[in-house]
Amino acid sequence: MISVTQLLSLAAAFGALCTSVGANAIPLSTRQDTNHWVTSWTSMPQLVEPDNLPPSPFKSGNAVFNDATLRQTLHMSLAFDRVRLQISNTFGGTDLTITAASLALPRTDKAGVNNIHIETLKPLTFSNGSPSITIPKGKTAYTDPLDFYHIAAQSTLSVSLYLKNGQSGTSITGHPGSRTTSWMASGNKVNETDVTGASTKHWYFVSAVEAWVPSNTSALVILGDSITDGRGSTDDGNNRWPDMLLARMPAAGITNVGVVNQAAGGNAVLSGGLGPTLLSRYTRDGITQQGVKYLMIFEGVNDIGGSSTDASTQSSIGDRLISAFKQITSDAHKAGLITIGATITPFGGSGQSYSNPEREKTRVKVNKWILNSGGAFDKVVDFAAAVGNPGNVAQLANKYDGGDHLHPNVDGYITMANAFDMSIFK
């Protein structure tokens, strides 16, 4: 298998890399029969809040990204050489026109960088060869499939989008909790080595990357909230717990399962919270993702912590969470998926607004059901036990507390990844 580094070193001898997909690649005619699309990366689409819109001048008046290029880096979970991207205008208040787009390898294979290996640059097209597309509000669109270079699992892609006329209004689709630096510049810079002008730690518009891979390849989709979205992780570090799980998998011989993070900070299962509730999004974000085989739920803390502390309300929240998990897992089983439950991690401690004895009772109640769900969950990961304080189970262990008594730190995320039993995939 030819690596990216080897491809770059062979560029002079073999000419433009734009035609190379690796010396041992399966012919396209064969791959059409043996391969299928599997999601390799996602950012859960949501309406971007006003404070998370791009900085000036890329938000000006009643438009965003007017005559601007947006460059974003995305961390892949699968190896591939053929790829397509999904662009989302799900929450846009107006139509979204992408004037030009390109794909390349970032110069350092790191998240958050603004420059690319220019020799790896390839244009992205839409609708059988068009360089541009207009996506109606409320809709998504795919790029045309692109034969790219051989991309190893855990590699990074750099995607550039140019919006000649921007998007009217300030209702746009994105993912504020990217914890990854995105870059923007005035004018069309999709084919430039560097994009400089302004930066922000949010993703916009790109909602999925799908890989054309062998039929024995599948994806684990994780439905979650800020703990899975990576609050407490390092910006541009790719050290959320799903990233750390992905990093563990090759040593365990798991190379044909992608890890797909469909979480958002503040997300709730039942009502309220940030972004669409889990009950309203689990089909879109989970069950119908391309190539999904495993569906994991790690959510509920915002429902518990965001609800009144009286015993009646908390009892109802616990019952409704269990009912919601039964509904989601039932639909997942009907789709032939393997379901994985994760226990809700502790949130007790001075200064944490969620901390309350009645809420803790609800957490314990829901976790007890998750651990003994009667078949709703095929597998369970006990995150609460992994990062909880053995001397006070209502709190995170001090060494894993990110500081707010709710979100783990990076060591906590590593521990959570280590708590995931690899036999689930076997």
Side-chain angles (χ1 to χ4, degrees), residues 87-401:
I87 312 296
S88 177
N89 193 26
T90 301
F91 297 99
T94 60
D95 292 352
L96 169 67
T97 298
I98 306 296
T99 311
S102 66
L103 190 66
L105 301 177
R107 188 170 293 173
T108 58
D109 194 38
K110 300 292 185 183
V113 299
N114 67 336
N115 48 33
I116 61 172
H117 283 291
I118 194 68
E119 62 268 38
T120 69
L121 184 86
K122 289 193 176 187
L124 289 167
T125 59
F126 306 86
S127 303
N128 297 316
S130 173
S132 64
I133 190 171
T134 297
I135 307 171
K137 63 180 181 178
K139 303 296 183 180
T140 62
Y142 278 105
T143 66
D144 293 329
L146 174 67
D147 286 317
F148 201 56
Y149 313 108
H150 180 79
I151 300 301
Q154 303 183 61
S155 296
T156 302
L157 296 184
S158 182
V159 181
S160 300
L161 305 175
Y162 172 58
L163 286 68
K164 181 178 181 180
N165 298 316
Q167 184 167 22
S168 299
T170 54
S171 293
I172 68 171
T173 303
H175 189 83
S178 69
R179 292 167 182 86
T180 303
T181 307
S182 297
W183 296 85
M184 53 209 75
S186 297
N188 186 351
K189 302 293 194 303
V190 298
N191 296 325
E192 299 293 325
T193 300
D194 299 287
V195 169
T196 57
S199 66
T200 187
K201 289 181 172 59
H202 310 304
W203 283 314
Y204 303 100
F205 307 127
V206 182
S207 53
V209 178
E210 296 175 4
W212 185 245
V213 287
S215 57
N216 67 341
T217 306
S218 61
L220 160 69
V221 177
I222 306 162
L223 302 173
D225 50 38
S226 58
I227 298 176
T228 299
D229 206 25
R231 182 169 175 177
S233 64
T234 306
D235 287 345
D236 298 321
N238 288 326
N239 51 17
R240 313 162 189 85
W241 78 259
D243 300 320
M244 307 311 295
L245 171 63
L246 175 65
R248 283 188 61 210
M249 290 164 63
I254 310 298
T255 59
N256 64 340
V257 180
V259 177
V260 179
N261 191 333
Q262 290 282 48
N267 197 238
V269 176
L270 304 170
S271 63
L274 296 177
T277 63
L278 183 60
L279 275 177
S280 68
R281 70 182 181 89
Y282 72 87
T283 300
R284 179 198 71 184
D285 292 346
I287 291 175
T288 59
Q289 286 297 308
Q290 293 290 323
V292 60
K293 180 178 180 180
Y294 308 92
L295 185 73
M296 183 172 187
I297 302 173
F298 175 39
E299 195 160 346
V301 68
N302 293 317
D303 298 87
I304 298 170
S307 298
S308 172
T309 59
D310 67 275
S312 176
T313 297
Q314 285 298 311
S315 178
S316 175
I317 289 293
D319 291 341
R320 291 170 61 204
L321 283 174
I322 291 169
S323 177
F325 294 157
K326 287 179 178 178
Q327 174 184 327
I328 297 169
T329 54
S330 175
D331 287 348
H333 284 147
K334 290 175 184 175
L337 306 185
I338 295 170
T339 59
I340 307 168
T343 53
I344 301 169
T345 48
F347 48 79
S350 177
Q352 172 49 246
S353 62
Y354 285 4
S355 182
N356 178 270
E358 288 297 330
R359 290 173 176 154
E360 173 62 8
K361 289 179 183 178
T362 305
R363 186 184 75 88
V364 170
K365 171 183 174 178
V366 174
N367 281 354
K368 183 178 180 180
W369 179 84
I370 290 171
L371 291 167
N372 303 278
S373 67
F377 289 117
D378 300 304
K379 307 289 182 178
V380 175
V381 181
D382 197 351
F383 283 153
V387 296
N389 184 343
N392 184 349
V393 295
Q395 297 183 2
L396 292 169
N398 289 337
K399 62 183 177 180
Y400 300 139
D401 193 334

Side-chain angles (χ1 to χ4, degrees), residues 15-40:
L17 289 172
C18 60
T19 60
S20 174
V21 295
N24 297 318
I26 301 170
L28 179 59
S29 59
T30 303
R31 287 187 286 140
Q32 288 175 338
D33 294 328
T34 62
N35 284 26
H36 66 155
W37 290 110
V38 177
T39 307
S40 179

